[in-house]
DNA sequence: CCAAAAGTGTTTGACTTACACCCATGC
DNA sequence: GCATGGGTGTAAGTCAAACACTTTTGG
């Protein structure tokens, strides 16, 4: 049995994959492999298959196009204007992925036709993908103001100055390192290592690791690492 | 031309319509008019048609099933487990609507087969609609912690004690009226009327109206009307 | 005049900011 | 020994919480 007299349509998943390379935020794009707009740059996307959920589709597509597994992946918003795809009606469910660029950079560049673009130097994109990216960045800024989600972008070991650069990049603001340190250290989210990163100063900055337990437990709590204005 | 070898599926919109009657939060449900699960209680839903966007579909369905127009309506989340509807594959995009119950109570009860249920006395619902409601309430709590969205639930004129009851109901907490008053009055969101509501005390409480300008302009700003714990 | 809700004022303490200053080290 | 980024300490200011108290008015 089926519902009668109803229009059936394709459902696609498109993922906005965001990374931070230590200086800038980047988005992973791919050259579309089929018509229309073949060879044009596009978000990572694909159609939802018969027996998979939306989340499963997002994970599968991410894996197929980039080899990425077990990354932070969150559903964002669904787009459904009737003519957003000129070929036929397609509903697009977007997901946002946050990944540590360094861990995957080689793999992605070598094995797949994907490329990282800085967020202020994006190429022209197909369909409504630019709108999707705008929405993802707005959401990320909003979420990062309140929750420590940006840690997903960092490697296992990172320094507080790196953290500061990351926050400053996303919010285009300057952060007082002394106050930031105090706040983040009092949050119980970081575990200090003995090792130092000497790549950007003579004295060296201590490495920290994320305390995954308190991170998960207190993720929904509102943290306030940013200055008010 | 069409994309080949892809599965097309139905796309539905389901709206969680939330109201507050002065004492409790309620959700508007309808008795489903067609099989399967005919006569069972369900969210307001329907299929997305050929030439309408998702937002348009949500507005149209809301209007058709309840007569409601121009209400607060926000896309929430999309649900797509393969067997969530036993008849055939259906992707459901959920929307949350917030309305002033009193303004529409008569209209809805008389003209449509819809009914308000208190959120802790919901009937058994079809498919995954309970999960959708849970998600909507979580989202509403989250949003109301940070933004003055609950004003959407109130009539044009309301008192501060009513506001307090509304916040207390959603967060199951007690609020100090003196501190709450000070915070909300200093927010610039309210315009004081000369009239008083004497229905719940001898002295009477002044009516206020929402300042729509500052409301819209500062909606995204973080307000903090709730106590910390 | 009293009960009961509305509303005002004040103290306390926690948290943020701003900023002076010290530390470590490669050159 | 000095320049440079990393990190600590502290005083001043701001804001929310707690709570005692006054106002209003129907019965």
């Amino acid at each position: 049995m089926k519902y009668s007299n109803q229009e059936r349509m394709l459902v696609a998943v498109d993922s906005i994959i965001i990374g931070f390379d230590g200086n800038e935020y980047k988005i992973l794009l791919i050259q579309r492999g089929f018509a229309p707009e073949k060879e044009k740059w596009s978000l990572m996307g694909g159609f939802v298959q018969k027996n998979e959920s939306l989340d499963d589709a997002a994970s599968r597509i991410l894996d197929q196009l980039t080899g990425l597994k077990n990354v932070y992946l969150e559903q964002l918003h669904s787009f459904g204007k009737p003519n957003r795809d000129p070929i036929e009606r397609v509903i697009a469910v977007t997901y946002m992925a946050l990944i540590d660029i360094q861990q995957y950079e080689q793999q992605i560049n070598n094995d797949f036709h994907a490329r990282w673009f800085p967020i202020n130097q994006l190429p022209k994109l197909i369909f409504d993908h630019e709108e999707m990216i705008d929405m993802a960045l707005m959401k990320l800024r909003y979420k990062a103001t309140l929750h420590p989600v940006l840690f997903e972008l960092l490697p296992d070991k990172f320094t507080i100055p790196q953290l500061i650069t990351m926050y400053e990049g996303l919010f285009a603001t300057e952060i007082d390192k002394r106050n930031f340190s105090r706040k983040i250290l009092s949050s119980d989210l970081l575990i200090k290592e003995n090792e130092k990163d000497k790549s950007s100063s003579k004295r060296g900055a201590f490495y920290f690791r994320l305390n995954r337990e308190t991170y998960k437990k207190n993720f929904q709590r509102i943290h306030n690492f940013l200055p008010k204005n």
Side-chain angles (χ1 to χ4, degrees), chain A:
Chain A
M1 207 174 93
K2 295 271 185 186
Y3 292 106
S4 49
N5 300 322
Q6 296 298 337
E7 177 85 0
R8 284 160 191 82
M9 43 194 101
L10 290 172
V11 177
V13 162
D14 287 310
S15 293
I16 299 102
I17 304 168
I18 303 177
F20 178 73
D21 71 359
N23 278 301
E24 0 172 58
Y25 285 81
K26 293 183 170 174
I27 289 183
L28 190 61
L29 300 174
I30 199 166
Q31 274 183 305
R32 189 170 153 99
F34 50 92
E37 308 276 11
K38 192 165 185 232
E39 310 273 297
K40 290 278 180 63
W41 291 100
S42 149
L43 290 171
M44 303 287 153
F47 294 113
V48 176
Q49 301 298 307
K50 207 176 169 65
N51 283 305
E52 66 186 357
S53 68
L54 299 172
D55 289 359
D56 289 347
S59 302
R60 172 183 57 78
I61 290 163
L62 195 60
D63 182 20
Q64 284 178 358
L65 297 181
T66 66
L68 294 170
K69 285 179 196 190
N70 296 321
V71 299
Y72 181 92
L73 197 58
E74 177 191 354
Q75 195 193 108
L76 271 188
H77 190 84
S78 296
F79 292 76
K81 289 219 184 80
N83 298 310
R84 48 175 301 281
D85 186 320
I87 292 292
E88 68 172 292
R89 184 82 195 262
V90 180
I91 303 297
V93 183
T94 57
Y95 281 75
M96 172 169 76
L98 302 179
I99 72 167
D100 164 18
I101 259 182
Q102 291 167 57
Q103 194 180 338
Y104 299 101
E105 199 153 32
Q106 292 313 310
Q107 170 189 350
I108 287 169
N109 286 336
N110 295 341
D111 303 353
F112 302 90
H113 300 288
R115 200 170 116 196
W116 288 102
F117 288 84
I119 53 171
N120 42 20
Q121 294 165 50
L122 295 173
K124 182 125 182 50
L125 294 170
I126 63 166
F127 308 161
D128 47 6
H129 286 196
E130 282 162 29
E131 191 187 341
M132 293 174 175
I133 290 178
D134 287 346
M135 197 173 255
L137 289 173
M138 271 182 49
K139 174 80 181 255
L140 181 61
R141 280 190 198 99
Y142 184 83
K143 197 151 186 170
T145 312
L146 303 166
H147 307 290
V149 70
L150 294 189
F151 286 102
E152 301 290 344
L153 298 168
L154 289 173
D156 277 354
K157 293 188 301 183
F158 52 85
T159 66
I160 290 184
Q162 278 172 31
L163 260 177
I164 292 176
T165 312
M166 186 169 67
Y167 274 89
E168 288 181 332
L170 186 60
F171 294 97
T173 184
E174 286 203 3
I175 293 177
D176 184 298
K177 60 181 175 170
R178 299 157 288 186
N179 292 332
F180 184 87
S181 279
R182 204 167 336 95
K183 282 189 205 173
I184 206 123
L185 288 173
S186 73
S187 75
D188 219 40
L189 282 169
L190 301 189
I191 301 169
K192 192 173 189 167
E193 303 280 282
N194 289 322
E195 210 182 337
K196 277 185 168 185
D197 166 31
K198 297 221 171 187
S199 65
S200 64
S201 79
K202 292 154 189 172
R203 179 177 175 178
F206 278 107
Y207 278 118
F208 290 83
R209 276 186 305 114
L210 183 59
N211 183 340
R212 291 265 162 204
E213 284 215 11
T214 51
Y215 174 69
K216 277 185 190 157
K217 199 154 55 184
N218 297 325
F219 186 85
Q220 277 301 319
R221 249 190 66 212
I222 289 175
H223 293 79
N224 178 23
F225 301 139
L226 288 169
K228 287 260 163 69
N229 283 309

